[in-house]
């Protein structure tokens, strides 16, 4: 079974930036649609962004458009989420998963691992 590991989280001030990385062990990573999702304290899992296998088609939840950028490096089997202009509402545990919005949220229910914590606080 393919393994995914998220990293790069931390604590930043409002307006700051972080770059999350999702490392995959899946030899078929390059063929997978990939998605980032997050769960804020006391809230349900939320879809954040999705990228096509070749990186050409991107989709974002409205709340992060213009601030977050999803990308991938298929040669390294890595998925990225560049997060700029971070806001306190971005505070959450972030997860990556293979699949589109629906498939990824299903794959992350129940949460299979710890993810990476992002805290935005003054």
């Amino acid at each position: 079974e393919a393994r995914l590991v998220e990293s790069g989280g931390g604590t930043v001030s409002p307006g700051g930036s972080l770059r999350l990385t999702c490392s995959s062990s899946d030899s078929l990573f390059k063929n997978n649609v990939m998605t980032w999702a997050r769960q804020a304290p006391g809230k349900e899992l939320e879809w954040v962004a999705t990228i096509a296998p070749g990186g050409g088609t991107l989709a974002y939840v409205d709340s992060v458009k213009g601030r977050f950028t999803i990308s991938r490096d298929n040669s390294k089997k890595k998925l990225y989420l560049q997060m700029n202009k971070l806001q306190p509402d971005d505070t959450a545990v972030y997860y990556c998963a293979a699949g589109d919005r629906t498939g990824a949220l299903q794959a992350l229910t129940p949460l299979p691992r710890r993810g990476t914590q992002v805290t935005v606080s003054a």
Side-chain angles (χ1 to χ4, degrees):
E1 183 176 333
R3 183 166 174 253
L4 296 168
V5 178
E6 301 89 352
S7 62
T11 299
V12 297
S13 300
S17 298
L18 283 172
R19 187 194 196 203
L20 305 185
T21 299
C22 168
S23 300
S24 174
S25 65
D26 188 355
S27 60
L28 299 179
F29 175 82
K30 64 180 180 180
N31 297 331
N32 294 336
V33 174
M34 294 296 297
T35 288
W36 283 101
R38 64 186 180 185
Q39 187 167 40
K43 295 187 178 180
E44 294 186 352
L45 189 64
E46 177 188 37
W47 167 73
V48 174
T50 295
I51 187 168
T57 302
L58 314 174
Y60 300 92
V61 66
D62 286 347
S63 60
V64 309
K65 284 181 181 176
R67 301 188 298 121
F68 289 13
T69 302
I70 188 171
S71 63
R72 64 193 297 162
D73 185 334
N74 288 339
S75 67
K76 296 180 180 179
K77 294 187 289 185
K78 292 187 184 295
L79 175 73
Y80 305 104
L81 187 67
Q82 177 66 44
M83 305 187 296
N84 299 328
K85 300 179 182 179
L86 282 161
Q87 304 167 357
D89 284 350
D90 296 316
T91 295
V93 180
Y94 285 71
Y95 302 88
C96 61
D100 61 9
R101 172 178 178 171
T102 300
L105 293 182
Q106 289 176 343
L108 291 170
T109 305
L111 294 170
R113 55 190 177 272
R114 295 177 61 183
T116 188
Q117 174 72 50
V118 172
T119 302
V120 185
S121 174

